[in-house]
């Protein structure tokens, strides 16, 4: 009986070995299967082309004309707009204002990393503090601009709070270039701290918990855990945050435009570009300025990635 069973098993195995391979799917089915992912991508790609790449192509075309946004005709001027940009140094002097926001971004990154590290551990009311830190990023930028416009005005909220603390001041917070830019940069720190905080918190929480347990068994304190576990583990996210902070510092627009309109020495390159286009009707020159800003941001990003490449981090 056992021999019969073994013979049947051998015959079955031999039959399976000699069985023909399944027939390939028909050609229309294979073509449809290959085209399915592109059908899902069709709508987002169409939106991306219509609302991103097409406007960029139009802006590049406008940068080589003297279009005033009113005339139906476009006169080709070649590289005259770019020549005018680089022969008028006052157009690039506004980049000094970006230094205030660049310094503020350093404070913002350090504060976001500090709070993300603290709240990644088991502390009381951490969910409440997470919401408090992230909430400003959810508020509309126009609303933030108007709120802080009243906050910094003479006799406003800030002066009232300082008066309650016994500090009397007649300082015009938005009255001088240094004070105004410092105040606006502080508002940007408050506004975007939550975004960096969430990025850092997500990166920290993705680190395996076994590493912290092993570090505690070896007698490592919180500083040692941050230095040898957290800092190497979030390096890619930290690099991304630095890139976003630098590009954001160079292209600040929303807060200074709403609060001061670029007055009192707070005009940024983007505000200047908007004024060239819509106030002085120099759309061609403004388009050239926007292209130059895009190239500057790309160049700064490339340099930053060359200086601090994203090496693969393996903590396990």
């Amino acid at each position: 009986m056992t021999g019969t069973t073994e013979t049947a098993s051998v015959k079955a195995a031999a039959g399976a070995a000699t069985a023909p391979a399944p027939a390939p799917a028909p050609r229309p089915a294979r073509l449809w299967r290959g085209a399915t992912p592109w059908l899902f991508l069709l709508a987002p790609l169409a939106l991306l082309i219509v609302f991103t790449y097409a406007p960029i192509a139009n802006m590049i075309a406008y940068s080589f004309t003297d279009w005033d946004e009113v005339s139906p005709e476009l006169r080709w001027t070649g590289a005259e707009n770019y020549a005018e940009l680089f022969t008028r140094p006052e157009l690039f002097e506004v980049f000094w204002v970006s230094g205030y926001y660049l310094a503020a971004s350093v404070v913002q990154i350090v504060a976001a990393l500090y709070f993300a590290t603290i709240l990644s551990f088991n502390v009381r009311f951490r969910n409440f503090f997470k919401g408090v830190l992230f909430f400003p990023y959810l508020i509309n930028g126009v609303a933030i601009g108007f709120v802080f416009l009243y906050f910094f005005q003479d006799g406003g909220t800030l002066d009232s709070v300082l008066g309650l603390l016994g500090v009397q001041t007649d300082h015009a917070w938005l009255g001088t270039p240094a004070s105004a830019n410092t105040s606006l940069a502080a508002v940007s720190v408050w506004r975007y701290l939550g975004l960096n905080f969430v990025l850092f918190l997500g990166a920290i929480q993705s680190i395996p918990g076994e590493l912290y347990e092993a570090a505690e068994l070896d007698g490592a304190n919180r500083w040692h855990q941050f230095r040898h576990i957290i800092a190497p583990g979030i390096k890619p996210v930290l690099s991304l945050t630095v890139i976003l902070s630098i590009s954001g510092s160079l292209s600040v627009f929303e807060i200074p435009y709403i609060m001061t309109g670029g007055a009192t020495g707070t005009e940024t390159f983007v505000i200047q570009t908007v004024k060239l286009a819509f106030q002085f009707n120099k759309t061609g020159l403004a388009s050239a300025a926007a292209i130059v800003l895009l190239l500057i941001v790309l160049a700064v990003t490339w340099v930053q990635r060359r200086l601090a490449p994203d090496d693969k981090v393996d903590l396990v």
Side-chain angles (χ1 to χ4, degrees), residues 5-152:
T5 304
E6 293 178 353
T7 303
S9 300
V10 171
K11 289 182 179 180
T18 58
R27 182 178 177 84
R30 285 186 281 115
L31 292 176
W32 177 257
R33 188 180 304 167
T36 300
W38 294 101
L39 294 177
F40 283 102
L41 291 173
L42 187 61
L45 285 176
L47 294 174
L48 185 65
I49 292 173
V50 171
F51 293 104
T52 302
Y53 295 118
I56 291 177
N58 285 334
M59 184 172 61
I60 294 174
Y62 291 149
S63 68
F64 294 101
T65 67
D66 63 348
W67 189 42
D68 58 0
E69 210 176 71
V70 177
S71 175
E73 298 180 359
L74 300 179
R75 188 173 68 88
W76 180 266
T77 59
E80 289 184 6
N81 291 323
Y82 294 95
E84 183 177 354
L85 277 176
F86 289 103
T87 54
R88 293 175 58 183
E90 69 273 9
L91 295 179
F92 289 92
E93 290 178 356
V94 293
F95 274 119
W96 290 107
V97 176
S98 298
Y100 288 92
Y101 297 94
L102 188 61
S105 66
V106 176
V107 177
Q108 178 179 294
I109 291 175
V110 173
L113 184 56
Y114 173 78
F115 288 119
T117 303
I118 295 297
L119 295 179
S120 63
F121 296 105
N122 190 16
V123 297
R124 299 182 62 182
F125 306 111
R126 63 175 181 174
N127 290 329
F128 170 76
F129 290 114
K130 288 177 184 178
V132 170
L133 290 171
F134 186 67
F135 178 72
Y137 184 71
L138 301 177
I139 305 176
N140 182 271
V142 177
I144 290 177
F146 280 110
V147 167
F148 278 94
L149 182 61
Y150 292 106
F151 181 82
F152 286 115

Side-chain angles (χ1 to χ4, degrees), residues 253-278:
F253 171 72
E254 194 175 44
I255 291 176
Y257 185 77
I258 295 170
M259 294 183 63
T260 64
T264 324
T266 61
E267 187 175 64
T268 63
F269 193 81
V270 178
I271 294 178
Q272 176 181 261
T273 302
V274 171
K275 287 184 177 181
L276 286 174
F278 300 104

